[in-house]
Amino acid sequence: MNSFFSKSEFINHGFIILGSLILSLAIVGFFVPNQVITGGTAGLALLLHYITPLTIGSLIALINLPLLIVGNKYLGKMFAIRTIITIFLISIFIDFFSQVVNLKPFILDTTLSAIFGGIFVGVGLALVIKGNSSAGGSTILARIISSKTEIKPGQVILIIDSIIVLSSLFIIEDTAKVLWSIISIYITTKVIDVILTGSLNKKVVYLVTQKTEELKQLITQELGPEGTILKGDGLFEGQEKRMILIVVEVTKLQRLRQMVKETDPDGFLIITEASEMLGRGN
């Protein structure tokens, strides 16, 4: 149990508490008063709350309890403990704000509640993830299913969120609210990506050229020394291929295009997104 009281665990718990608090405020202040749905356990709890007398916090706990029991061996001891703490905090915070404090709606507008609610939930979940935990629900199911099948965890979560949103069509009469719920979930995923991976302004570029040496010198002089030359064989036997792999800032892409066009008109670029970068100051 020493690791549970280590400095890193205290930092994890700080992220978990703050993330759970922000997520709970989003649900009580934005989603509930405007009947907008979010994804995961919270979304399912919201739907059930609209058709049962149970509180949202108690529903979140009830939904996650069997999942935690079944999925315990797939989570790992410390991750499972953090997840239990996270679910407990979210349940308590939601019921505290809605039942005890009677928190007033932050805004009564479907569009704004979907946008800002999605942002708040995204920030909350990102902080929980930074605390090496999860909010349970679809995350647990995703780990179980992905360990037994070839289905990726992200696909499982997407399917679960889709089922929740489609189910809301039978509970929420206003179709516009359902559509805004979809947008809210999308906003949440984008916010999580930005917080966890950063907002990168760089692209990964594969430069295929016969004039590797000339372009290597130009790139080093104007764009920086970081890059890799990849060597390989072409489809024809004995055909040697060389490719330059570099990460380029978006603002310098046009200059790179000009350099390639002027140096090797037959060369071409393959440009992809740099969704995450680690190391070298990133």
Side-chain angles (χ1 to χ4, degrees):
M1 292 296 289
N2 290 333
S3 60
F4 187 78
F5 296 101
S6 65
K7 181 180 177 181
S8 62
E9 277 304 305
F10 277 114
I11 293 173
N12 284 337
H13 295 150
F15 279 127
I16 290 169
I17 293 169
L18 183 58
S20 301
L21 179 63
I22 293 172
L23 192 151
S24 302
L25 286 170
I27 291 172
V28 177
F30 288 112
F31 291 119
V32 174
N34 293 281
Q35 283 198 316
V36 177
I37 301 297
T38 186
T41 306
L44 181 56
L46 279 169
L47 280 181
L48 294 175
H49 171 69
Y50 295 142
I51 59 175
T52 69
L54 297 175
T55 65
I56 299 170
S58 62
L59 284 166
I60 288 176
L62 288 171
I63 293 167
N64 279 292
L65 182 60
L67 293 174
L68 283 168
I69 293 172
V70 175
N72 183 49
K73 69 175 183 178
Y74 299 96
L75 300 177
K77 182 180 178 182
M78 290 306 298
F79 191 86
I81 291 172
R82 294 189 206 102
T83 300
I84 292 169
I85 292 171
T86 303
I87 293 167
F88 175 77
L89 287 173
I90 292 172
S91 301
I92 293 297
F93 283 150
I94 289 176
D95 282 355
F96 175 76
F97 289 132
S98 60
Q99 304 297 317
V100 180
V101 178
N102 289 319
L103 186 71
K104 293 182 179 180
F106 294 149
I107 192 166
L108 290 173
D109 182 275
T110 302
T111 303
L112 292 177
S113 65
I115 293 171
F116 286 97
I119 292 172
F120 269 60
V121 170
V123 172
L125 287 176
L127 291 173
V128 167
I129 294 169
K130 273 183 169 289
N132 292 307
S133 181
S134 80
S138 55
T139 305
I140 299 173
L141 276 176
R143 283 178 175 248
I144 295 172
I145 294 173
S146 63
S147 68
K148 298 290 186 181
T149 67
E150 295 183 359
I151 303 174
K152 296 178 180 179
Q155 293 174 327
V156 178
I157 293 172
L158 177 62
I159 292 169
I160 293 171
D161 285 348
S162 299
I163 293 171
I164 291 171
V165 171
L166 288 173
S167 300
S168 67
L169 288 169
F170 301 98
I171 299 172
I172 300 173
E173 294 182 359
D174 191 344
T175 308
K177 291 181 183 292
V178 177
L179 295 176
W180 276 110
S181 297
I182 297 171
I183 293 173
S184 182
I185 293 171
Y186 175 78
I187 292 171
T188 294
T189 58
K190 298 305 292 184
V191 170
I192 292 172
D193 286 343
V194 169
I195 293 176
L196 295 182
T197 65
S199 181
L200 297 175
N201 65 337
K202 297 180 180 180
K203 301 284 186 180
V204 176
V205 178
Y206 299 89
L207 170 53
V208 182
T209 177
Q210 295 295 327
K211 298 185 178 180
T212 311
E213 292 301 321
E214 294 93 324
L215 281 167
K216 181 179 73 173
Q217 292 178 5
L218 287 171
I219 290 170
T220 302
Q221 292 169 4
E222 298 194 32
L223 304 181
E226 304 301 335
T228 303
I229 294 179
L230 306 176
K231 298 180 181 179
D233 297 326
L235 293 177
F236 296 102
E237 188 175 350
Q239 183 185 36
E240 185 178 308
K241 291 283 188 178
R242 303 184 81 189
M243 181 186 299
I244 299 175
L245 170 62
I246 52 175
V247 178
V248 182
E249 292 181 11
V250 174
T251 55
K252 295 180 180 179
L253 271 178
Q254 186 56 35
R255 176 56 189 144
L256 178 61
R257 290 191 182 99
Q258 291 176 348
M259 288 162 49
V260 175
K261 186 176 181 179
E262 293 169 1
T263 307
D264 183 9
D266 294 326
F268 63 92
L269 305 172
I270 302 172
I271 302 171
T272 62
E273 293 289 340
S275 60
E276 182 173 4
M277 292 180 63
L278 300 173
R280 296 191 183 278
N282 294 293

